[in-house]
Amino acid sequence: MALMSVYDTFWSEWFWLPENVTWKHLENKEDGIYYPQTRDLYIPFVLAFVVFAIRKCFESFIAKPIGLYFGIKDGKPKVVQPNSALENSYKVKKFPSEETIKALEKQTDLSERQIQRWFRMRRNQERPSQMKRFTEASWRFFFYFNIFVYGVAVLWDKPWFADSIQCWIGYPKHHLSSGVFWYYMIEISFYWSLMFSQFMDVKRKDFWEMFAHHCATIALLTFSWCGNFVRVGTLVLCIHDAVDYWLEAAKMAKYIKAQRLCDVLFAIFGVVWFITRLVLYPTKVMWSTYFECKQIVGVFPSIYFFNGVLVVLLILHAYWFSLIVTVAYTVLSKQGEGQEVTDIRSSDEEEVSEEDSSRNGSGDRKQTNHVNNSVSK
């Protein structure tokens, strides 16, 4: 009885639906009209593993050979000689101070240069290879580009694609076509796959921001499916998909050392990001959910939650755009010094050489430049 009470409370028509609408109105009948059902959300769980398997095959049999063709090395970094004193110090601080290095010199009978070199090699052991970065970017480019094309093809003739007020006319009795159905299922499954693959992918400084983004996106898609906000949900997806593949293309160009192409693609990415996520998203999607919905359907509790998730995404969009601007400003202000587009979220391998002239006691990193992948859907 208690479980039934919780179930009934969670699926309260007062919360989910507008006035004078019940769940019975959204039951599917044998009339060719299909409404989203909560049981459909089991499909993305299965598809997530299929997507992950496709990804691994793509990275191994397509992306990796392409990377090798362009000269990307697939080797692993050198393994340091075991040293308990240095290892214990490394666990405390990966970039030792001058005082720490002097203390380690006395403990290990190693020179300052040898200790710095050991720390550089030890840090490199934890960094993903250039090939892993390239294959990961290739997969994301492949998915984002194709899902964007598919989304546009599915939505092109839909009335709400050009006129957002159509998201609410006749709501919630909106028929779901097979194209839109699979567009949603594939997108949700992709983000579920990212939820667990993120722990195996290249680690970024904004790891938890990205995790929050994935959680917010899944919550948005799942919630919109249950409440049949699918029309506005497809607009959110299309706006997001329009920008992501530009970033991944820029990263791929960076990894194959096509720097000029990388810079051009990154510039396009920044412009498209601003237009789609900071202009179209709030003025087309959020305007529709805040004002057009109220005008056509009225206000009901679930729309407040839906709008709250949209606000979370907008905040993340603004945060990541600030990172994009930071990179662009750094590049433009240091053009005379040969500065390139850099990745402010992760660092590349540090060069390790017997002839290394680096002597600074803080063990500062020498980072090679990467394209900023400061965002993802």
Side-chain angles (χ1 to χ4, degrees), residues 86-103:
L86 297 180
E87 184 66 30
N88 291 334
S89 179
Y90 178 82
K91 291 178 180 178
V92 175
K93 192 173 183 181
K94 296 182 179 181
F95 295 89
S97 63
E98 184 176 350
E99 292 75 15
T100 300
I101 291 178
K102 288 182 178 179

Side-chain angles (χ1 to χ4, degrees), residues 209-258:
E209 289 88 345
M210 283 301 299
F211 189 78
H213 176 272
H214 298 335
C215 290
T217 303
I218 291 175
L220 177 69
L221 294 176
T222 302
F223 190 86
S224 64
W225 187 267
C226 294
N228 203 9
F229 301 133
V230 172
R231 291 188 176 185
V232 71
T234 57
L235 297 181
V236 174
L237 289 173
C238 196
I239 284 173
H240 279 69
D241 292 335
V243 62
D244 289 324
Y245 64 87
W246 290 105
L247 173 62
E248 303 305 330
K251 289 160 62 179
M252 291 167 64
K254 180 65 186 182
Y255 299 144
I256 65 173
K257 303 186 185 305

Side-chain angles (χ1 to χ4, degrees), residues 182-225:
W182 286 111
Y183 183 36
Y184 241 71
M185 292 295 103
I186 294 171
E187 289 276 17
I188 298 175
S189 65
F190 176 73
Y191 282 101
W192 273 120
S193 73
L194 288 182
M195 287 288 285
F196 58 81
S197 68
Q198 184 179 356
F199 293 89
M200 297 176 281
D201 291 341
V202 176
K203 195 71 175 288
R204 309 292 181 187
K205 294 179 182 178
D206 64 347
F207 176 90
W208 291 112
E209 289 88 345
M210 283 301 299
F211 189 78
H213 176 272
H214 298 335
C215 290
T217 303
I218 291 175
L220 177 69
L221 294 176
T222 302
F223 190 86
S224 64
W225 187 267

Side-chain angles (χ1 to χ4, degrees), residues 25-59:
H25 290 121
L26 298 179
E27 291 179 355
N28 289 319
K29 302 175 182 178
E30 299 297 329
D31 56 0
I33 302 299
Y34 190 86
Y35 301 126
Q37 304 295 310
T38 55
R39 62 176 176 270
D40 298 329
L41 295 173
Y42 289 108
I43 297 175
F45 284 111
V46 178
L47 277 182
F49 292 98
V50 175
V51 169
F52 185 73
I54 293 173
R55 170 189 170 170
K56 289 301 179 183
C57 292
F58 179 89
E59 290 180 346

